[in-house]
Amino acid sequence: MTPSRRTTLQWMIAAAATPLARWMPPASAAEGASTPLLGPIADWPGAPPLPTTKGYGRDPTLMEPKVAWPLTLTRAQRTTIDLLGDMILPADDVSPGAGQLGVGAFIDEWISAPYPTQQGDRATVLGGLDWLDRQSIAQHRKAFAVIGEPMRGTMLDALCAAAPAGKLEMPVKFIDRLRHLFVLGFYTLPEGKKDMGYVGDQPTEGPYPGPSVDARTHLAALLAELKLGVRTT
Amino acid sequence: MSRGPATAPADVIIVGSGAAGGMAAYSLTKAGLRCLMLEAGRDYDPQQEVNMLAPESDAPLRGSATPDKPFGYFDATVDGGWEVDGEPYTSTEGSGFRWWRPRMLGGRTNHWGRHVPRWGAYDFKPFSRDGLGVDWPIGYDDVAPYYDRVEKMIGVNGGPIGLENHPDSPADCLMPPPAPRVPELLLKATAESMGIPVRAAHTAVLTRDMPDPVAPRSACFNATPCSRGCTIGAMFQTTTSFLPMAKATGRLTVVTDAMVARVLTNQAGRATGVEYVDRKTGVRHRVSARAVVLAAGTGETTRLLLNSGEPGRGLANASGELGRNLTDSTGASFSAFIPGLADRPRYNEDGIGGQHVYIPFWLYQEQQRGELDFARGYHFEVWGRFGVPSPNVLPRVWGADLKKAVRSASGATIGLSLRGEMIPNKQTYCEIDPGVKDRFGIPVLRFAFRFSRHEVNQVAHGRRIAHALFERMNGRILDDPSLPPEKIMAAGGEIIHELGTARMGTDARTSVVDSYGRAWDVDNLVLMDGAIFASGAHKNPTLTILALALRASEQLAARFKSGAFA
């Protein structure tokens, strides 16, 4: 492609490929250090690999898109994912929560896919779900799904740390990745597009009309602010 | 071995059905010649197979790129890509070229970028200007009449450019371009304040209906990505234009799944036909014709010739230039989050599939004065519009704050993709791998690829310009300016503009074909794809491939008429 042909999918590809390291300032704290919000940090567990399965191949039927591989989250894992979805992208007066909307099924589809990017995310997400329970049990003697919402919120706050270090690096990477997958899964749905105020995907005959009056007014103000003149044609 | 399915012997065998092969089939059948087209890939009908309007959420993984579908699930490319099952290629140590091969009727025209700039006078005579590479045996004036005709035949929208080495089209050639979008207007104001031009791009998408009794095509309806293919024919692809038109003459036979292995010759050194393998059955066939046109794509055309003729030497290779002079465009991508575009008013920003404006190369005078540390030009293609914000513009927050951040950041990123000229060098070529064969027993290509300081310096310059533009917009640059330019350049082949491995020239001792693509050594063998390019320019090559294929086809037809192949 030439990559100009990539433009429409640019953000989706970026969502899949952008290295997480980009958001991470250099580690500074000592190995195994605790965070005031969490106390001592649990060890990062391993995650079982994906059972052998196949992708959709190089020539799938595009008129009837199908996910070719089985979903692999256990019921308990899926429950936690949905719960996290409703925390990360909660219901408000514009749109439902991500868990409520079933974006968890997309996360399951993603981490169950037999492709390298998705397999990498599988280790991060399954490891992360396991870690949440370990940390929660160590702290509260209960699994993550059954501690109260304020306690879960405290954990999420800690996992949005600006400069994660030591044992916190992997858990923060997990929440980063999960957050991005929820954004991708949620905002590509019709409900998500509506939430963003997306206008488009509608065949429009005749010449493309260009920006609306509102959009041009906003641009004119921006150009003035940037001292770039007010030309908008 | 058996005789092929075509009952009557053809006048011309055409290998490949993409831009060049499609043009050859159209032009030669209109001239009254019977053509047999052999396509390595499977049959393909955009009317039946293109899922134009399905939302991305219908696709597995929301249409994300995978090794199976590198440009996303709905991308029109089927049965091919960077890798084709059972059809490997190799690279010399430390080189890493990537070879894109669609395996479908219509080839790359089904999913291409559609940016179709004209090449200018400097692009055809680069050696005369800077002493590097070679000149073409033809100049802009030789090609211009064919550009005029091709633009009208395929349907191109765009406007005047009015810059050095960017020739404008005559008044009746182009359809009107679509209105620019907000990020494009911001880029235009910013760039022009810095003396950098922004112009309407030339794009092979109809903005007006194009009636035709056989293959009518409709104006773009301003929705859906063109890379999916186009059931209404708005985007140029041979499967909705040239191929049905050529078939309607009754003089075109198309055989798909026909993997051509070599060109056959007689003792007099003329081409007699080709040998191909049926990809489904593995059976080998031989078909004959009075002339052979190779339009299989740069790499595949050269591979065919290297696997034909004299073992170890190939066919049409008296010059020894076959496989040499390989180039690809340089590629690098830059982007920035523009706070001034956050929370901007929504409107329908779909437009035609790609960019509406672009930045053509503008520094020819500075280059001539020796003020640049690289030869040749580059341009920027523009992207950025409403959509899901990419992860690198979202803060590390959760809950209501995250939803708010997504809404705000949608449509606030601008990206510039650099495409630049690569000058042929001795370290960059393809050859037959002595040890590896594909699943049909055909020896495969081995690539060697290296950029020179010209390309590295050019990309470094482009990054400084892109970042200066972003800074002028008060943008937050999203790519790392401290990386060495070598680390941000696309690998060879990744821009899918591979060219030049059977270049044209005026001298049989230093080139493979003449300016009509005719092999110096084999009178009735004509090459029509990117293999014949003498240089790569920075401008996307397909319009020039089409113009040269039209010119070569008409000369071939004229030679038939004059009795040259009787």
Side-chain angles (χ1 to χ4, degrees):
Chain A
M1 126 168 34
T2 69
S4 53
R5 74 174 65 98
R6 291 174 201 175
T7 46
T8 309
L9 291 176
Q10 198 89 37
W11 39 84
M12 297 190 183
I13 292 164
T18 311
L20 286 157
R22 182 165 294 171
W23 299 278
M24 297 199 183
S28 52
E31 178 68 23
S34 64
T35 157
L37 293 171
L38 290 180
I41 309 300
D43 290 336
W44 178 259
L50 185 71
T52 307
T53 180
K54 279 188 176 171
Y56 48 65
R58 298 192 206 283
D59 192 5
T61 304
L62 303 186
M63 296 306 288
E64 292 162 21
K66 275 193 197 79
V67 176
W69 49 89
L71 304 184
T72 55
L73 286 181
T74 63
R75 183 174 293 203
Q77 287 168 329
R78 175 65 195 274
T79 301
T80 305
I81 284 286
D82 286 341
L83 199 144
L84 284 164
D86 281 334
M87 294 178 76
I88 289 170
L89 295 172
D92 60 10
D93 49 7
V94 181
S95 62
Q100 213 180 328
L101 210 52
V103 182
F106 163 71
I107 308 284
D108 200 353
E109 173 190 321
W110 184 276
I111 60 126
S112 304
Y115 299 114
T117 299
Q118 286 72 20
Q119 296 255 19
D121 287 341
R122 178 180 182 83
T124 306
V125 170
L126 294 189
L129 292 175
D130 194 354
W131 181 88
L132 280 180
D133 278 339
R134 290 179 184 219
Q135 183 68 28
S136 177
I137 287 163
Q139 241 176 306
H140 308 292
R141 300 207 186 94
K142 283 188 226 162
F144 181 76
V146 291
I147 58 175
E149 184 143 352
M151 285 181 252
R152 285 199 293 266
T154 305
M155 283 180 79
L156 270 196
D157 281 341
L159 296 179
C160 289
K167 282 182 164 184
L168 212 52
E169 276 186 35
M170 284 307 293
V172 169
K173 180 183 167 185
F174 155 60
I175 289 297
D176 269 343
R177 198 66 199 128
L178 194 64
R179 188 169 51 231
H180 300 145
L181 289 175
F182 269 118
V183 167
L184 174 64
F186 183 91
Y187 286 98
T188 45
L189 289 174
E191 294 87 343
K193 288 194 165 191
K194 199 173 155 218
D195 174 295
M196 282 190 296
Y198 185 84
V199 182
D201 295 338
Q202 290 298 319
T204 310
E205 287 189 35
Y208 171 66
S212 63
V213 173
D214 276 2
R216 283 176 178 274
T217 305
H218 172 268
L219 175 65
L222 174 60
L223 295 183
E225 186 191 321
L226 295 172
K227 297 187 170 39
L228 287 169
V230 291
R231 182 174 32 188
T232 57
T233 51
Chain B
M1 190 77 59
S2 76
R3 241 190 106 69
T7 45
D11 295 314
V12 183
I13 289 169
I14 301 167
V15 182
S17 62
M23 176 62 89
Y26 173 80
S27 180
L28 295 172
T29 56
K30 292 267 177 197
L33 297 170
R34 287 163 302 156
C35 297
L36 169 63
M37 173 178 276
L38 300 175
E39 164 55 49
R42 72 162 171 83
D43 197 10
Y44 174 70
D45 177 5
Q47 314 292 350
Q48 301 299 317
E49 300 191 55
V50 170
N51 199 338
M52 238 177 145
L53 291 159
E56 217 58 65
S57 55
D58 280 6
L61 309 175
R62 299 294 200 261
S64 297
T66 67
D68 281 338
K69 296 281 284 185
F71 294 121
Y73 186 83
F74 283 127
D75 182 83
T77 308
V78 293
D79 222 9
W82 304 114
E83 305 295 334
V84 179
D85 297 330
E87 299 182 42
Y89 53 92
T90 61
S91 286
T92 57
E93 207 179 322
S95 110
F97 185 83
R98 303 189 73 200
W99 190 18
W100 180 267
R101 291 160 299 166
R103 285 283 180 250
M104 63 196 302
L105 189 68
R108 305 175 204 207
T109 65
N110 294 305
H111 82 130
W112 61 313
R114 306 165 308 283
H115 182 214
V116 285
R118 285 188 180 211
W119 292 27
Y122 303 166
D123 299 319
F124 291 102
K125 303 291 178 189
F127 177 81
S128 295
R129 193 156 183 276
D130 60 24
L132 300 166
V134 294
D135 282 342
W136 292 54
I138 45 176
Y140 174 73
D141 292 342
D142 297 299
V143 187
Y146 297 94
Y147 278 147
D148 296 354
R149 290 170 59 198
V150 168
E151 284 171 349
K152 285 188 265 194
M153 286 162 82
I154 70 171
V156 174
N157 76 75
I161 294 178
L163 293 169
E164 187 178 5
N165 198 38
H166 294 283
D168 284 323
S169 304
D172 61 339
C173 289
L174 301 178
M175 296 186 179
R181 310 168 174 100
V182 163
E184 293 169 326
L185 291 167
L186 172 61
L187 178 75
K188 187 172 167 68
T190 308
E192 288 178 350
S193 79
M194 297 163 67
I196 299 168
V198 174
R199 297 288 188 273
H202 289 200
T203 309
V205 171
L206 306 184
T207 53
R208 297 288 183 270
D209 288 344
M210 191 185 267
D212 182 89
V214 175
R217 298 169 56 200
S218 302
C220 179
F221 57 45
N222 304 301
T224 86
C226 299
S227 55
R228 292 188 186 191
C230 188
T231 59
I232 64 168
M235 182 258 287
F236 169 72
Q237 51 193 127
T238 59
T239 36
T240 56
S241 56
F242 288 156
L243 298 182
M245 289 166 166
K247 273 185 189 164
T249 64
R251 288 186 284 272
L252 177 66
T253 304
V254 178
V255 180
T256 50
D257 290 302
M259 182 76 199
V260 178
R262 60 195 184 105
V263 178
L264 304 169
T265 46
N266 62 16
Q267 286 187 331
R270 286 172 72 88
T272 56
V274 302
E275 182 176 308
Y276 72 87
V277 182
D278 184 317
R279 281 164 52 94
K280 286 177 173 163
T281 63
V283 174
R284 284 195 176 233
H285 300 278
R286 285 183 169 192
V287 284
S288 57
R290 291 193 281 165
V292 172
V293 167
L294 296 184
T298 295
E300 206 68 69
T301 284
T302 295
R303 177 191 183 202
L304 266 172
L305 291 176
L306 288 168
N307 279 327
S308 307
E310 204 180 313
R313 178 78 177 168
L315 184 66
N317 194 24
S319 66
E321 290 295 305
L322 201 55
R324 299 185 184 278
N325 313 302
L326 171 67
T327 58
D328 184 22
S329 297
T330 58
S333 211
F334 313 104
S335 59
F337 178 77
I338 313 294
L341 291 178
D343 295 304
R344 63 191 171 101
R346 269 42 175 171
Y347 68 100
N348 187 340
E349 207 159 74
D350 285 355
I352 66 168
Q355 60 182 0
H356 292 182
V357 300
Y358 84 118
I359 296 179
F361 190 62
W362 70 102
L363 293 169
Y364 290 108
Q365 289 298 315
E366 290 79 354
Q367 194 166 55
Q368 194 72 347
R369 291 197 299 266
E371 292 166 15
L372 304 182
D373 59 357
F374 60 93
R376 315 292 169 82
Y378 63 83
H379 67 265
F380 285 116
E381 299 175 9
V382 183
W383 52 273
R385 59 182 104 152
F386 293 117
V388 185
S390 81
N392 56 0
V393 301
L394 295 174
R396 192 176 252 164
V397 295
W398 62 276
D401 289 346
L402 183 58
K403 272 190 157 177
K404 211 173 128 193
V406 170
R407 290 164 197 155
S408 172
S410 177
T413 296
I414 288 184
L416 293 171
S417 292
L418 177 147
R419 296 285 174 269
E421 176 162 356
M422 174 186 180
I423 301 166
N425 66 60
K426 296 262 181 265
Q427 286 79 42
T428 299
Y429 56 87
C430 60
E431 61 191 353
I432 295 298
D433 188 304
V436 183
K437 292 181 177 178
D438 67 15
R439 69 183 171 101
F440 313 109
I442 307 170
V444 309
L445 278 186
R446 178 168 66 189
F447 292 94
F449 197 94
R450 187 169 300 169
F451 287 120
S452 77
R453 69 179 172 82
H454 285 289
E455 290 84 40
V456 174
N457 291 352
Q458 174 206 78
V459 168
H461 185 277
R463 176 166 61 183
R464 289 195 295 275
I465 295 289
H467 287 182
L469 285 164
F470 296 149
E471 277 163 14
R472 184 67 186 81
M473 300 175 203
N474 282 347
R476 178 162 60 83
I477 292 164
L478 299 171
D479 48 280
D480 182 353
S482 70
L483 286 173
E486 293 90 335
K487 296 274 182 206
I488 63 171
M489 295 170 75
E494 280 190 344
I495 307 303
I496 321 185
H497 288 167
E498 65 274 15
L499 298 167
T501 49
R503 77 177 176 201
M504 64 163 71
T506 48
D507 186 343
R509 286 169 303 179
T510 55
S511 59
V512 178
V513 298
D514 72 7
S515 77
Y516 292 94
R518 172 158 56 151
W520 291 116
D521 307 345
V522 187
D523 182 60
N524 63 339
L525 175 67
V526 183
L527 276 53
M528 292 198 190
D529 54 32
I532 64 174
F533 278 42
S535 67
H538 66 82
K539 299 165 186 169
N540 312 44
T542 303
L543 188 77
T544 304
I545 291 173
L546 287 161
L548 295 178
L550 174 59
R551 184 172 175 272
S553 297
E554 290 188 343
Q555 199 229 22
L556 180 61
R559 288 170 68 210
F560 262 97
K561 269 195 189 127
S562 71
F565 304 106

